[in-house]
Amino acid sequence: MALSSSSAGNNETLEITSPKRRKVSDSDDSVLTVNSDLKDLSHFEFDRILSDSSERKSICLYGSFRNTSGKAIVLLEKKPFDEENVKGLLKNTCPVSQQFFNDIYGNYFCKADADFNEIKATVIHPATEKHVKKYEAQIHHLIEETPNLYETITLPFIQKEQFNLQWITNILEHKSETDRIVCEDTDPETGFVLLPDLKWDGKQIENLYLIAIVRKQGILSLRDLRGCHLDLLQNISKKCVKAIEEKYRFPKSRLRIYFHYQPSFYHLHVHFTNVDYHAPGIHAEKSHLLQSVISNIELMDDYYKKANLMFCVKEGDNLFKEYEEKGLVKKCVT
Ligand code: G7M
């Protein structure tokens, strides 16, 4: 995580500090990241908005950090309310200014204390062009990927161009986020690491979001899953559900457990979210429930080798261009 949330929320007391930088091995240019010692966002020079969402109460900014090479993405999101937070808010003096009232109905703006007004910030630096495309608002298309199209277009594309997986290696090798690990199984075939997703601060159950990253190398995505992986999938399902139940008192029946297809990162991982939370990528065109995946493989060992899989792609994405060049999809003319 880039920024401690307490410093992110308190915009009025930001100090001017020069971001220290650390070399990162996962960048194409091997440039320096501000993430090793970022205290505030005062050095961020904003170029443009990549996307914003009133529904998610988030905004994604593109720019750079002063005196630092490489571009940066800063994603700011308002955090959901929880009971503890609201109790604190109500106990503290929180000035309200009335907008209007009509009979028994009144509208107010409340000036909450910084402690109860935290903003979650995700900083990606140095950000590549591919990161920009991932976070940029764009038109989407659906593509039906046959096994042959996977072999001839998608797979060569993944082999040529994909996000670096250094953050995954760091988690598996206990070099990053070690204190966030919720449950771990070290078996080389069926093992995994379960921890909160980048999108979750690990606190509020309303937007509970964890990921289990498999230990075994070489399973790129759902497409690679076969009968020989059933033990791995069942092990993840059983142990992660138990760990989440124990740590967060959150029952199995309230968990949405799924894969993304296409994922952003081609090293197999499973998403665990609160079923009432509308996390990005939960819709039919992108998510595949773990239980359905297990069931499909139980019925047919090589289901995911033979199935046509739909996936959603942005018009600006290079994978879209690969399919466009073969005449399999067309840009939207408006
Ligand atoms: O779409 P895909 O299935 O590849 O999703 C990858 C998930 O990994 C997303 O939900 C990301 O929020 C999450 N993620 C990405 N990064 C770079 C990190 C990270 O550094 N740490 C953690 N804990 N989760 C990450």
Side-chain angles (χ1 to χ4, degrees), residues 167 171 177 180 195-199 209 211 260 263-265 269 271:
W167 69 274
I171 289 171
E177 303 187 57
R180 283 162 46 90
L195 78 170
D197 189 275
L198 181 69
K199 294 200 241 349
Y209 199 149
I211 45 168
H260 278 164
S264 297
F265 300 95
H269 52 275
H271 302 246

Side-chain angles (χ1 to χ4, degrees), residues 263-318:
S264 297
F265 300 95
Y266 289 89
H267 175 114
L268 194 75
H269 52 275
V270 185
H271 302 246
F272 293 77
T273 57
N274 181 334
V275 74
D276 289 327
Y277 170 49
H278 289 199
I282 58 166
H283 297 296
E285 70 277 13
K286 181 135 185 174
S287 78
H288 296 250
L289 291 175
L290 174 62
Q291 218 40 56
S292 309
V293 171
I294 291 178
S295 183
N296 287 338
I297 300 174
E298 277 171 348
L299 289 171
M300 197 197 288
D301 248 35
D302 55 357
Y303 178 91
Y304 289 97
K305 185 175 185 208
K306 291 183 173 155
N308 287 6
L309 296 176
M310 300 295 295
F311 71 86
C312 189
V313 64
K314 285 180 176 174
E315 211 171 78
D317 204 291
N318 287 343

